[in-house]
Amino acid sequence: EVQLLESGGGLVQPGGSLRLSCATSGFIFSTYAMSWVRQAPGKGLEWVSTISDSGGRTYYADSVKGRFTMSRDNSKNTLNVQMNSLRAEDTAVYYCARTSWSGFYNYFDKWGQGTLVTVSS
Amino acid sequence: SSELTQDPAVSVALGQTVRITCQGDSFRRYHVSWYQQKPGQAPVLVIYGKTNRPLGIPDRFSGSSSGDIASLTITGAQAEDEADYYCHSRDSSGDHVVFGGGTKLTVL
C-alpha cells in the first residue's frame, strides 16, 4: 500500500523558517516525481513545487520561488521542502503528492494527509 | 501562467447526472486531471489524462475534453459524491502547474 506521511508543520513567526518532510513507502520512490501542494484555510488547492525522480530538476510556483527549496533523498524514500522567509500567506495545509509528469500528462495520484503550517506572530 | 476557471458551485438531484466544467487555454496542449476533496480529507484523483479513471474510482465518474473546455461528468450522482472538485493541468509554459478554483457539488 502506498503511504505518504508529512511532518514538520507548526507555528512559525513571519520571516522564519520551517522544514517539512514526507516519508514514503509502498512504491519505488526513485521512479516518481514528487510534489508539494498546499491549501490555505477555506481556500482551494495551490501547487507549490515539483521535483523530478532523480532530483535533478525542480519547479516552483512564482509565489514561493527563491524562498522554498525542494529536495529528496532516494536512499531514504523521503521528500523535503525548506521554507524560508515565511509570510502569513504561506499559512496552509501542505500535502506531499506522488506525481506523474511526462509529456502531456501531469497528475497527482497519491496524497498524504497533510501537515499544517501557521505563520503568525 | 494560465488560469483554470470553474463554476464555484453546482447542485444535482440524487441519481441524476451532473457535469462540472473547467476552462483553460493549456488544455489544447496538456491533459487535465480531476480531484475530489471531502471536508477534512486529502484530495483524491478521480480522472487523469482527460478521460482515465484510477483503480477504485466508480465508473459513474467520466472525463472529457474539447478545445479549451474539460468536463467531469457524474452519471447517477450519489450522496457520497458531495464534495469539492478541482481541475488541474500544467500551464502553457509546461513548467508550472495550475488548479481551478474548485466546484462545490451539492447532492440534493
Side-chain angles (χ1 to χ4, degrees), chain A residues 39 95 113, chain B residues 35-44 46 58 60-61 78-86 104-105:
Chain A
Q39 187 169 35
Y95 296 101
Q113 284 304 302
Chain B
Y35 303 85
Q36 176 194 69
Q37 187 180 33
K38 297 179 180 179
Q41 298 184 18
V44 173
V46 294
R60 64 179 179 272
F61 290 87
Q78 303 299 302
E80 61 264 31
D81 300 334
E82 189 164 285
D84 294 327
Y85 290 87
Y86 295 90
K104 182 176 182 60
L105 175 66

Side-chain angles (χ1 to χ4, degrees), chain B residues 7-8 12 18 26-27 30 36 43 48 52 68 70 75 96 98 100:
Chain B
D7 291 329
V12 61
V18 62
S26 62
F27 296 160
Y30 296 106
Q36 176 194 69
Y48 68 97
N52 301 292
D68 64 350
T75 304
H96 286 71
V98 287

